[in-house]
Structure formats: structure tokens, C-alpha cells
Amino acid sequence: MIQLIPLKGQTRGEDICDAVLKCLNDNGINTNHLISVATDGAPSMRGSKRGFVTLLQKALGRNLVAFHCILHQEALCAQTFSSECMAVMNLVIEIVNKIIAKALNHRQFRALLDEVESEYSDLLLHNKVRWLSRGEVLRRFVACLEHVKTFLKSKDLNYPQLDDTEWLEKLHFLVDMTSHLNKLNKSLQGRGNTALQMLEAVLSFERKLTVFARDVQRGTLSHFPSLREFKEAHHDHTLNGDYLQGAIVDMQTEFGNRFCDFRKEKMTLSFPVTPLEIDPSLLSTFPGVNQADLEMEIADIADKDLWVSKFKRLTAELEDVTRQKAQLGQSHKWSEMESLPTPEKLVYDTWNSLPDNYKNMKAYAFGVLSIFGSTYLCEQIFSNINYIKSKYRTRLTDESLQSCVKIKVTSYMPDFEKLTSDVQKQKSH
């Protein structure tokens, strides 16, 4: 983090652009090295005429590799369910709120679950800010459905939809689809994910949607456990495969439309891992990298076994780390997973071992690795600020807040022994 910039007046695209350029200038950062910018989708950020990205490119006099945060776009794609499915979702939230929002109802419902020795002790309350929290709400609601119906009946609350097989079909379909979307969302979160890793996760999910659509159309429901249980419990009900398949295809189309910018840059993003398999004439141009010299360096290195073997070894090491992560994740060995080498470190070590006569290749690779695929780190800082600047510490100055945030987010660990060795001890101690 370079700086936490307070905007106390307007927050238009030009205000943000002026503040960012001033910050870079004050910190002595050469804007000629800037190659990419990742933002959220707000009009002040991505407006075609007066958005921050457009104005920044005009100020620099060149185009940047500009991305709309992958995580934001994935969450927007997750909201493309049909109006009928959204009506199901809204009714579930209404029922959950009826039970949880009133303290008496909530206590009585929890007592009922405890009495029948339910697997769960409560329902989950939906958080509108985090759309994918709906997945957990739905899953818990289905698990407690019979108890919910019993409780509503005791309160003379009538919801005929809870006995309607068509409505229940959509409910179980939503449970499975939001579960798949949650898995994708979690894989996109975290520090150290390169833009390529995030893009590959999205593209693989887009391909999985084809498998999901085929699975629903055939009626096998191999990837829809909740819907399969519903079908087995209601033999006389015929699933509306065409409708469910159409909902999945619509979502797949939305994914395709939203991630077209990332897809265009896939070859550029792949360069650090597979530089010898890429046509250099198709790569995006970066400042400080001579395109003609880059092509010559790639041609020169292509037949030198020493360097070619390094990139083959890198691919094998990345595959091995991915395989180990998957195995440890299945065994829930999270601490051992943290001890594995990170993919970005393996990539950096490989490129650092190349001699400087391949300086354009190295500059290009390091440029690609500096690209952010999402604004996850910024969102994480906002969460930290909520704790740092709470209602009990509202008088923090901008400078103090920035210092507190930097201490919170830095990975730097001071050498306290060295610091204290340079300070004279108090004689009284």
C-alpha cells in the first residue's frame, strides 16, 4: 500500500485521478512504469469519458491494461438467476427474517430445533452486502425445512409455496448453484493470486457450466446433490429440465460477456509461465520493453536447453504445488498448506535466474506479475479500517489512520533485538 488517500469533497473520476497522480508524484514513483490498473465497476472509475481509468490513460498519453475486478464481476454474474428463482430466494429471506428478526420467535424456533435434536441449532440471517451469503442461508433453510414448516404452522403463518413441488424444485436448484458459485468465489480470494490464476479459475468454471447444463438436461443430477435428493423424495414430480438448463446457459452467457476483456489478455497473462509457447507479436505492449528486442530474445532462448529446461521445471513445480494444495485441502491440513512454496515465488525465482542479456523478457514477465486481477487487497483494507476507526476512535487524524492501517497490513517484521541493541539502557533498569 502506497498511501491511504482521503477524498473529503467530490469523488468524481477527475478528483480520483488528480489525487492518484499527486500521490505517485509525491512518492517519487515513475508513472512510465505503470502498465495496468484494476478497479471496481463504479461509473466514476470506469466511465467511458470521465471515468478514472479513461482520464488516467489520457494523462499518461497511452493505453493501460485496464481490468474490472474479477471478484466483483463474478459476484455480478452470480446474480443472473431468473425472476422466478429470485422470487424463491426473496421468499426464503422473508421467512428467515420472520423467524429470526423477532426475539420471541427466534427463541422458540431454537428451542424447537433443540427439542427434535436437529443437526443445526439455528437458521442463518442473510447479509445483503455479501450476495453469496445467500448460498449458506439456502442450504441451512433446506436442511431445517420440515422444522420451519412445523414452526410456521404453530404460529398460524401460511406459506403454501413450501408444499409446492415446482417452488421446491427451484429452491433445491438454487442451493446447488450457489454452492458451486461459493466455491469459485473462495478460490478467487486470498493474497498472492496472479491475474492468470484468477482468470483460469473463472474460465474453468465457465466450462463447468456446460457440464452442469448437460447434467440437468439428462436428469442424472450428478453435480446437484440437493436437487437429486428432492427428485428421489418426489417420484411423481417431473423436473423442468429445459427451464433449469436455460438458467445455467444464461449464467454462462453472462460470464462470457463480462470476462471478454480478461480473455483477450490471456496470452499476455500466460507469458511468465509459458514464454516459449507464445507468439510475441500478439502480446500487449509494455512501457520500457522494446518489442523488437523482445522477439529476438525469445527466438534466441528457444533452442537453449539450459533455459528451456528451467521453464519446463517451473511448470512441473507449479503442477506439484497445485496437487499438494488439493490433497492437503481435502484433509483440512491448512497449516501444512501454508508451508508450501507460493506459485508466484516459484515464477519469480525462475525469472531471476535468467541472465541480464534477456532483460526485455524479464521486464515483460515482471510487468505481467505486477498486474492485479482484483481489488481484493483494497477491500480487505476497508474491513480493517472498520475495526481501526470504530465509534470509539472517531477522532483519528488521516495521518494516524494511515499509519495504523500500514502497521495492520504490512508483512514486514521488525528486528526488535537489533533496534534495542542500538539504544542505551536506562541505568535504573
Side-chain angles (χ1 to χ4, degrees), residues 102-227:
K102 293 183 178 179
L104 177 61
N105 284 350
H106 193 193
R107 287 197 302 272
Q108 290 174 339
F109 182 70
R110 292 181 66 177
L112 170 66
L113 293 180
D114 185 52
E115 184 182 327
V116 298
E117 297 181 351
S118 171
E119 180 184 352
Y120 298 103
S121 61
D122 203 353
L123 292 175
L124 295 177
L125 194 62
H126 166 56
N127 179 355
K128 282 190 174 181
V129 176
R130 294 173 59 239
W131 193 90
L132 287 173
S133 71
R134 297 183 182 194
E136 293 301 313
V137 174
L138 287 167
R139 188 174 64 82
R140 183 71 63 87
F141 184 84
V142 166
C144 301
L145 184 58
E146 292 306 315
H147 307 314
V148 169
K149 288 161 70 173
T150 301
F151 181 77
L152 292 174
K153 189 175 180 180
S154 71
K155 292 290 182 180
D156 292 327
L157 295 171
N158 186 30
Y159 287 95
Q161 295 94 330
L162 298 181
D163 295 308
D164 181 359
T165 51
E166 290 188 7
W167 188 90
L168 289 170
E169 174 189 310
K170 294 181 178 68
L171 172 62
H172 285 80
F173 170 71
L174 278 171
V175 169
D176 291 321
M177 282 306 298
T178 52
S179 173
H180 292 311
L181 288 162
N182 274 345
K183 287 177 185 175
L184 171 62
N185 189 271
K186 287 176 183 176
S187 71
L188 296 175
Q189 295 180 30
R191 290 172 171 268
N193 283 338
T194 63
L196 176 62
Q197 288 172 303
M198 300 180 76
L199 176 60
E200 287 176 339
V202 170
L203 294 180
S204 67
F205 183 80
E206 197 177 325
R207 193 175 293 274
K208 287 176 187 175
L209 287 172
T210 303
V211 178
F212 296 158
R214 197 182 305 129
D215 187 29
V216 167
Q217 184 64 26
R218 286 196 303 246
T220 50
L221 305 180
S222 303
H223 307 288
F224 294 83
S226 182
L227 190 59

Side-chain angles (χ1 to χ4, degrees), residues 296-335:
M296 287 298 292
E297 288 175 15
I298 293 175
D300 180 73
I301 203 173
D303 290 312
K304 294 187 175 176
D305 292 342
L306 176 63
W307 307 121
V308 170
S309 63
K310 275 203 171 289
F311 289 109
K312 288 181 179 178
R313 198 178 310 125
L314 170 63
T315 305
E317 288 173 345
L318 290 172
E319 289 174 358
D320 187 51
V321 168
T322 304
R323 183 166 50 252
Q324 288 184 63
K325 272 188 178 179
Q327 291 171 349
L328 293 172
Q330 287 177 344
S331 306
H332 303 289
K333 296 179 179 177
W334 311 117
S335 56

Side-chain angles (χ1 to χ4, degrees), residues 159-395:
Y159 287 95
Q161 295 94 330
L162 298 181
D163 295 308
D164 181 359
T165 51
E166 290 188 7
W167 188 90
L168 289 170
E169 174 189 310
K170 294 181 178 68
L171 172 62
H172 285 80
F173 170 71
L174 278 171
V175 169
D176 291 321
M177 282 306 298
T178 52
S179 173
H180 292 311
L181 288 162
N182 274 345
K183 287 177 185 175
L184 171 62
N185 189 271
K186 287 176 183 176
S187 71
L188 296 175
Q189 295 180 30
R191 290 172 171 268
N193 283 338
T194 63
L196 176 62
Q197 288 172 303
M198 300 180 76
L199 176 60
E200 287 176 339
V202 170
L203 294 180
S204 67
F205 183 80
E206 197 177 325
R207 193 175 293 274
K208 287 176 187 175
L209 287 172
T210 303
V211 178
F212 296 158
R214 197 182 305 129
D215 187 29
V216 167
Q217 184 64 26
R218 286 196 303 246
T220 50
L221 305 180
S222 303
H223 307 288
F224 294 83
S226 182
L227 190 59
R228 185 171 65 247
E229 284 181 19
F230 167 77
K231 182 183 177 184
E232 291 169 354
H234 299 79
H235 298 291
D236 55 337
H237 176 71
T238 304
L239 292 182
N240 189 347
D242 291 337
Y243 173 82
L244 300 178
Q245 183 189 30
I248 297 171
V249 169
D250 288 345
M251 184 177 290
Q252 188 177 33
T253 303
E254 186 69 13
F255 266 89
N257 292 338
R258 283 203 169 272
F259 291 99
C260 57
D261 289 342
F262 274 99
R263 196 177 280 101
K264 288 175 187 173
E265 299 293 345
K266 188 173 190 301
M267 194 169 292
T268 296
L269 297 176
S270 302
F271 182 82
V273 180
T274 56
L276 306 180
E277 300 172 15
I278 292 172
D279 182 352
S281 63
L282 301 178
L283 295 172
S284 298
T285 55
F286 284 180
V289 176
N290 187 302
Q291 203 72 9
D293 290 345
L294 176 66
E295 292 186 30
M296 287 298 292
E297 288 175 15
I298 293 175
D300 180 73
I301 203 173
D303 290 312
K304 294 187 175 176
D305 292 342
L306 176 63
W307 307 121
V308 170
S309 63
K310 275 203 171 289
F311 289 109
K312 288 181 179 178
R313 198 178 310 125
L314 170 63
T315 305
E317 288 173 345
L318 290 172
E319 289 174 358
D320 187 51
V321 168
T322 304
R323 183 166 50 252
Q324 288 184 63
K325 272 188 178 179
Q327 291 171 349
L328 293 172
Q330 287 177 344
S331 306
H332 303 289
K333 296 179 179 177
W334 311 117
S335 56
E336 290 183 34
M337 192 185 294
E338 290 179 4
S339 64
L340 292 174
T342 58
E344 64 269 19
K345 184 179 186 305
L346 295 173
V347 176
Y348 270 111
D349 288 347
T350 299
W351 281 98
N352 278 324
S353 66
L354 260 66
D356 287 338
N357 51 323
Y358 297 111
K359 63 180 182 180
N360 284 285
M361 285 183 68
K362 292 175 75 172
Y364 199 92
F366 291 143
V368 173
L369 289 169
S370 74
I371 293 175
F372 288 91
S374 78
T375 58
Y376 174 81
L377 292 175
C378 292
E379 305 288 351
Q380 198 175 46
I381 288 173
F382 297 152
S383 298
N384 292 325
I385 290 175
N386 287 334
Y387 290 103
I388 294 168
K389 193 168 184 176
S390 65
K391 64 180 181 179
Y392 303 109
R393 305 177 73 195
T394 54
R395 298 183 66 182

